[in-house]
Amino acid sequence: MGSSGLGKAATLDELLSTCIEMFDDNGELNNSYLPRIVLLMHRWYLSSTELAEKLLCMYRNASGESCDEFRLKICYFMRYWILKFPAEFNLDLGLIRMTEEFREVVSQLGYEKHVSLIDISSIPSYDWMRRVTQRKKVSKKGKACLLFDHLEPIELAEHLTFLEHKSFRRISFTDYQSYVIHGCLENNPTLERSIALFNGISKWVQLMVLSKPTPQQRAEVITKFINVAKKLLQLKNFNTLMAVVGGLSHSSISRLKETHSHLSSEVTKNWNEMTELVSSNGNYCNCRKAFADCDGFKIPILGVHLKDLIAVHVIFPDWMEENKVNIVKMHQLSVTLSELVSLQNASHHLEPNLDLINLLTPPEQYWAHEGKRTTPPNC
């Protein structure tokens, strides 16, 4: 985190003062990650509006010979916050109002240079993060099967990756925080939708296999999904890869001995490699290593990261000595959350057909209806 001298715990005011003093006279940081960590993690301890209000109070109450210098550094810190986390200044109405109040106070005190540092007028809209669209209840029976039969594995993998990334990038810090603290998806529609997509894909894989009448045909579907899994790995989409492997590993499919006897030795080898990759053995050590070795655009196994966050939350208390932030916990949580945030902002070069995307979204109603109609095979 850089040399902060804060130790293992500090009050919020101590954290903020330390972060502010890390900016030099030109607004540059001296090789410290602490300001970013504090700004990323502050909502674990207080709202963004409350943080901005604290900074405004510090600005107002600044005094002494270095008053002007300290006020300038506070504005550098505000600018850094705006640049690193712009969505907060577009979606949080309380923060927007407090920022405008901040600007008015700065202007009234005659610091016009400072006013320009806390300008949020050019921030783009992040309204797409706020909306959770409702699925249209349209009949997809037959169409999804037809698409599966005619699309190549790479086309399926690319469209599923587009769907996954669209869902993943909507999840906010507060969505993760709510799940970790409360341990459920209540009042958390964005994360709930992401998990429902994962489960829907897994069930869709099972359905596509079990809907075929003969062992040979089921083996062909399994083979195609294993090839889709290989393409998902090439696209570095580990979350959908886990969903596909999970679907093929379901007991309703793994027990079909005759079906698996029709798989080629090469396909069986690929399948064993995939299951070993996403195995939970060693706390998902194989998958973690493969994921860490990937650069650029990649989608993590969300469940593994949530597990990591919950483990840290359970082990460490938020506060020490009543009013001091547990810096060790804050740093540990920030490691995982910082990676998730950065991955959400990664760009991709996928160019999906939106009509196919709509048909490929596996609805739970479709699974439930088809599951009742189809008698699971036993070979």
Side-chain angles (χ1 to χ4, degrees), residues 100-293:
E100 292 304 319
E101 182 181 339
F102 203 138
R103 284 171 56 86
E104 289 174 11
V105 170
V106 172
S107 181
Q108 290 167 5
L109 292 173
Y111 294 94
E112 291 304 321
K113 178 185 176 182
H114 297 185
V115 174
S116 64
L117 294 174
I118 48 179
D119 180 17
I120 60 174
S121 61
S122 60
I123 292 177
S125 172
Y126 286 84
D127 195 51
W128 54 268
M129 290 187 69
R130 195 196 316 266
R131 297 192 301 265
V132 178
T133 56
Q134 298 296 318
R135 290 196 186 106
K136 296 179 181 178
K137 294 184 179 180
V138 295
S139 175
K140 301 181 183 180
K141 297 189 293 290
K143 294 181 181 179
C145 294
L146 189 64
L147 280 174
F148 175 81
D149 291 339
H150 287 82
L151 289 179
E152 294 298 317
I154 185 59
E155 294 176 295
L156 282 166
E158 286 179 347
H159 282 76
L160 289 172
T161 298
F162 177 85
L163 272 175
E164 190 71 68
H165 182 250
K166 181 181 177 182
S167 177
F168 171 60
R169 69 193 294 255
R170 289 176 183 267
I171 306 171
S172 69
F173 177 94
T174 51
D175 294 327
Y176 292 121
Q177 179 186 9
S178 174
Y179 183 78
V180 171
I181 291 176
H182 301 295
C184 66
L185 295 171
E186 187 176 354
N187 299 319
N188 198 341
T190 308
L191 188 55
E192 183 178 21
R193 175 64 59 86
S194 178
I195 294 174
L197 176 63
F198 179 97
N199 292 335
I201 291 173
S202 186
K203 291 177 180 178
W204 176 61
V205 169
Q206 298 168 46
L207 169 65
M208 294 304 299
V209 174
L210 299 176
S211 64
K212 299 301 181 181
T214 68
Q216 178 64 45
Q217 290 174 317
R218 290 192 290 275
E220 290 171 0
V221 174
I222 292 174
T223 297
K224 187 166 186 176
F225 269 123
I226 292 173
N227 288 327
V228 169
K230 288 172 60 180
K231 299 302 181 183
L232 288 168
L233 182 58
Q234 291 175 14
L235 292 170
K236 296 175 281 190
N237 179 359
F238 288 79
N239 203 52
T240 308
L241 170 62
M242 174 70 92
V244 170
V245 173
L248 291 176
S249 300
H250 192 269
S251 59
S252 62
I253 295 175
S254 62
R255 67 185 181 84
L256 303 178
K257 304 303 182 184
E258 186 175 346
T259 292
H260 284 85
S261 71
H262 288 276
L263 299 177
S264 70
S265 58
E266 181 66 20
V267 169
T268 300
K269 176 177 177 290
N270 290 334
W271 169 243
N272 290 334
E273 290 173 352
M274 290 295 169
T275 55
E276 184 67 21
L277 176 65
V278 300
S279 168
S280 61
N281 292 337
N283 195 19
Y284 299 94
C285 61
N286 292 334
C287 189
R288 289 180 190 274
K289 183 180 185 306
F291 186 77
D293 290 341

Side-chain angles (χ1 to χ4, degrees), residues 343-356:
L343 292 174
Q344 287 174 316
N345 295 327
S347 59
H348 61 76
H349 303 288
L350 303 171
E351 297 181 358
N353 181 316
L354 295 182
D355 290 333
L356 296 184

Side-chain angles (χ1 to χ4, degrees), residues 27-38:
E28 300 297 326
L29 273 175
N30 299 319
N31 299 319
S32 175
Y33 297 105
L34 182 63
R36 180 179 176 83
I37 291 172
V38 169

